[in-house]
Amino acid sequence: MYVNYPILSFFIFQTSSRKRKMEIIKKFKLGKLKLDYTKLLIEKAILARKNAYVPYSKFKVGAAIITNNNKIYGGFNIECSSYSPTNCAERTALFRAVYDGHRNFKAIAVVGGKESESCPLFSYTPPCGVCRQMLREFCHPLYFKIILAKSVDDFKIFTLDELFPLSFGPENLK
């Protein structure tokens, strides 16, 4: 049993019974998101944001997505001078995970704001429509969490369905 988080791994492996270990693991399945994971995702999104390539808008965005088997992928926005090929942080994180073979996700944290010393605080930065549609492709709208954060302690959590109601998904094509 491998969990990709040092603190959680330590806790699970300090537990003696296999039954108890499985109970702990089940808590982190689809739709369940502990505060520890929330803050960890926000921290990873903040780190990812530092690498954003935004020479035009100066608006840096970072994202971190967690798979159902607890692997975290970070991403940041990458701008292009003609704008339309620009890639958002959420899609960068998602595409990295999909490239590694992951298809099921629990949550994504997003942080963003102007790159400026006079404006050091982030603003709540929700995913754009294209990112919401891409997340909808791989994530259950009622269970997938979108964490919008200004800091590790100042955040709001929404489901994908709350931010993207009446969405079109893969099941519509069956």
Side-chain angles (χ1 to χ4, degrees):
M1 219 179 312
Y2 174 72
V3 179
N4 201 19
Y5 302 96
I7 295 169
L8 184 59
S9 296
F10 176 79
F11 178 73
I12 289 171
F13 292 106
Q14 293 301 310
T15 304
S16 57
S17 76
R18 177 164 172 69
K19 182 181 175 188
R20 180 69 180 131
K21 287 177 187 173
M22 293 312 294
E23 287 172 8
I24 294 166
I25 294 291
K26 283 182 182 178
K27 279 186 178 178
F28 297 99
K29 292 295 181 194
L30 185 66
K32 304 283 184 183
L33 192 66
K34 281 197 61 120
L35 191 58
D36 297 333
Y37 279 86
T38 301
K39 291 189 176 197
L40 181 60
L41 282 174
I42 294 167
E43 288 171 0
K44 296 290 187 183
I46 290 169
L47 283 173
R49 181 183 177 271
K50 292 178 181 178
N51 291 318
Y53 176 74
V54 292
Y56 310 106
S57 72
K58 308 287 190 237
F59 195 89
K60 287 185 160 193
V61 180
I65 193 166
I66 185 170
T67 68
N68 277 1
N69 56 352
N70 301 324
K71 185 144 170 87
I72 294 177
Y73 288 86
F76 48 81
N77 54 330
I78 305 166
E79 292 182 348
C80 178
S81 58
S82 64
Y83 286 108
S84 64
T86 292
N87 204 56
C88 299
E90 300 90 331
R91 282 182 285 142
T92 302
L94 179 67
F95 294 165
R96 289 182 68 205
V98 171
Y99 175 82
D100 278 354
H102 299 283
R103 300 293 187 270
N104 298 296
F105 303 92
K106 291 183 198 183
I108 191 168
V110 184
V111 298
K114 278 285 196 186
E115 179 184 27
S116 161
E117 287 186 29
S118 65
C119 185
L121 299 176
F122 301 129
S123 58
Y124 292 122
T125 307
C128 73
V130 174
C131 288
R132 293 175 200 205
Q133 187 64 57
M134 283 306 304
L135 290 168
R136 178 65 175 84
E137 183 69 20
F138 295 98
C139 308
H140 192 289
L142 297 176
Y143 300 113
F144 184 73
K145 308 290 188 231
I146 298 174
I147 304 155
L148 306 180
K150 290 184 179 180
S151 71
V152 175
D153 296 313
D154 184 0
F155 57 88
K156 296 179 180 183
I157 301 176
F158 301 90
T159 64
L160 179 56
D161 191 60
E162 288 174 308
L163 295 183
F164 198 41
L166 301 173
S167 61
F168 184 89
E171 68 280 359
N172 294 106
L173 297 175
K174 292 181 181 171

